[in-house]
Amino acid sequence: MIHRDLCNPSTTKYFSALRIQFNFLLSRYVCWDGFIPLTLSEMAEKLTCDIQSIRKFIKKGIQEGMLRLEGDRLYLIKKVEEYSQGYIKHFPFLESTEFRSMSVHAQRFVLYTLWSGVHTGRPLKRDLSTLYHSKEERNGVLNLYYREPVYLVLDEVKSFLKLEVVKERNREMVRVTGLQDPYAFQEALANEGEQKLLQDILWDHGMDELISAASREDILKLKKHYVSSFQSVGMELFAHALKKLLSVHKLYELNQQGEVGKYLRSILVDLEQKILPTLQRQVYYVTQAIQTMEDTLVSGASLWIKRFEKQKQTITQAIQKIKSKMDPPHEEKIPFVFYNWLENV
């Protein structure tokens, strides 16, 4: 899915056609925590452009509050975390040759209609004067300066949109009722971020040929569960557990028996109990940091306090969830072979 802000006419009217595709690429390869597991070279290759253009887009995205760079790790801030949020369905036609061959103004208009929700059945009707920098509307959606080119744009997008230009109260209006049938029922492009990240990790460990597609699916199901349950703590837990899993000598046998996911879960269950003291210390340190910020008049302290409070809340909730599994103590029945920390690997 594409975050609705990436189709917002207040920003897209300044995007080039390549920048639009750059945003689509990030949306398709974003991981659950916002990480983009693509190198600059991979981005450039997929977009058929030079690395300098990618660097420029990243710099611009950071300035716009769309991207965040931590060391050499790129994060997409404008990502869809929940389906209750505003998002645009990632239609395959948005990355098609037909769409990319249109003028950038025509592409912007299609994004404008999607931002307005025409793909959900909501019609869009606008005065033509709102599409260019007219006397009535200085901030035209398409960033055009004359009325004539607007007709050419509307003619271009008819291959994708059901639209008509009508006259009402002596004013010309464009009315869009939806996408053309061949595109309206397209299934959304699948997000490939987590699969790409897992593939890269397996390749780095020389395990890419030892783990089957079914086992990878089991691994990602576990990761999704832990991230949704524990958020950033779940991400850290999973990273440690996956590292342990990939160091197990009998990994090939586990994969042959279809027990990779079960074995990884046993590692995670054991890690949950062992990580509690560390999480409790983190809560203490974050609390101290909040107190220090509150006692100072540092510029931007309120922003840091909010970040620390959110971090504290996330860790505290993780502690409570882990403890709820342990208290009251009971024998948890897990139908698989437990991970043995003393096992010779």
Side-chain angles (χ1 to χ4, degrees):
M1 300 300 175
I2 303 169
H3 196 287
R4 189 166 174 264
D5 285 356
L6 298 181
C7 297
N8 190 328
S10 65
T11 54
T12 56
K13 68 180 180 181
Y14 301 114
F15 290 169
S16 65
L18 188 58
R19 173 72 191 279
I20 290 172
Q21 291 299 318
F22 173 74
N23 292 342
F24 293 163
L25 179 67
L26 298 189
S27 297
R28 192 150 55 89
Y29 280 92
V30 61
C31 292
W32 294 318
D33 62 344
F35 174 58
I36 305 295
L38 291 171
T39 64
L40 297 181
S41 298
E42 287 173 332
M43 293 181 197
E45 182 180 353
K46 289 181 180 297
L47 294 178
T48 319
C49 67
D50 55 71
I51 293 180
Q52 190 59 36
S53 296
I54 300 298
R55 293 185 190 277
K56 181 179 68 175
F57 295 154
I58 291 175
K59 183 179 179 180
K60 195 68 176 176
I62 293 172
Q63 293 172 347
E64 296 166 349
M66 182 187 106
L67 299 172
R68 182 178 77 250
L69 199 58
E70 295 182 4
D72 61 348
R73 294 172 68 87
L74 182 66
Y75 289 84
L76 177 63
I77 299 175
K78 298 291 186 180
K79 61 188 177 70
V80 180
E81 294 182 352
E82 299 176 3
Y83 285 101
S84 59
Q85 295 179 336
Y87 67 90
I88 305 299
K89 181 179 176 182
H90 202 143
F91 291 98
F93 78 80
L94 292 173
E95 297 187 22
S96 69
T97 302
E98 293 78 11
F99 181 82
R100 298 179 69 170
S101 64
M102 290 196 305
S103 69
V104 67
H105 297 97
Q107 293 181 36
R108 290 171 187 165
F109 185 76
V110 173
L111 294 186
Y112 175 42
T113 62
L114 294 177
W115 177 82
S116 302
V118 296
H119 58 297
T120 65
R122 178 181 179 179
L124 171 72
K125 185 166 69 174
R126 293 290 186 273
D127 192 314
L128 258 62
S129 65
T130 65
L131 303 182
Y132 66 100
H133 302 315
S134 63
K135 293 180 180 179
E136 295 84 1
E137 179 60 59
R138 295 292 181 185
N139 194 23
V141 169
L142 298 181
N143 202 23
L144 290 169
Y145 289 87
Y146 303 99
R147 191 181 188 89
E148 287 72 20
V150 172
Y151 295 107
L152 297 176
V153 169
L154 297 182
D155 190 56
E156 263 193 285
V157 300
K158 283 182 180 178
S159 57
F160 291 103
L161 302 174
K162 295 178 179 178
L163 68 79
E164 58 181 343
V165 177
V166 296
K167 214 165 193 178
E168 295 182 3
R169 300 180 182 181
N170 295 322
R171 305 181 75 174
E172 277 192 301
M173 315 286 290
V174 57
R175 184 170 179 270
V176 183
T177 56
L179 294 169
Q180 294 288 1
D181 290 343
Y183 307 107
F185 304 105
Q186 285 185 339
E187 291 188 10
L189 290 173
N191 184 292
E192 300 178 39
E194 289 295 339
Q195 291 90 337
K196 173 70 165 57
L197 178 59
L198 179 58
Q199 169 64 20
D200 289 347
I201 293 173
L202 294 178
W203 191 88
D204 289 341
H205 286 77
M207 302 290 182
D208 52 306
E209 295 188 9
L210 299 185
I211 306 296
S212 65
S215 293
R216 295 184 192 199
E217 187 176 339
D218 291 339
I219 290 172
L220 291 179
K221 283 180 181 178
L222 269 174
K223 182 176 183 179
K224 186 173 185 179
H225 169 71
Y226 270 81
V227 172
S228 61
S229 298
F230 302 107
Q231 300 179 56
S232 59
V233 175
M235 191 70 70
E236 186 178 350
L237 270 170
F238 180 84
H240 284 293
L242 183 59
K243 187 176 180 180
K244 290 288 184 183
L245 174 71
L246 298 181
S247 68
V248 174
H249 182 68
K250 61 177 182 180
L251 186 58
Y252 177 75
E253 289 75 13
L254 288 171
N255 181 71
Q256 293 294 99
Q257 297 162 10
E259 294 186 344
V260 169
K262 296 177 182 180
Y263 201 80
L264 177 60
R265 183 170 175 246
S266 70
I267 299 176
L268 284 160
V269 170
D270 195 88
L271 267 179
E272 285 181 30
Q273 301 173 24
K274 287 179 167 58
I275 203 174
L276 269 178
T278 301
L279 295 179
Q280 290 165 340
R281 284 196 299 271
Q282 288 181 2
V283 170
Y284 171 78
Y285 293 136
V286 172
T287 302
Q288 291 294 104
I290 293 172
Q291 185 62 53
T292 301
M293 283 292 177
E294 290 175 339
D295 293 341
T296 62
L297 298 176
V298 178
S299 175
S302 60
L303 179 61
W304 281 104
I305 289 173
K306 288 181 181 178
R307 291 177 180 175
F308 284 137
E309 288 284 6
K310 184 178 180 180
Q311 183 181 3
K312 179 180 177 180
Q313 182 182 18
T314 298
I315 298 173
T316 302
Q317 288 176 347
I319 291 174
Q320 292 171 346
K321 287 183 179 180
I322 293 173
K323 282 186 172 181
S324 68
K325 294 183 179 181
M326 302 165 56
D327 188 22
H330 63 280
E331 184 177 346
E332 185 177 3
K333 295 182 179 180
I334 305 177
F336 52 81
V337 180
F338 284 92
Y339 174 70
N340 181 4
W341 288 96
L342 301 179
E343 184 176 33
N344 181 16
V345 298

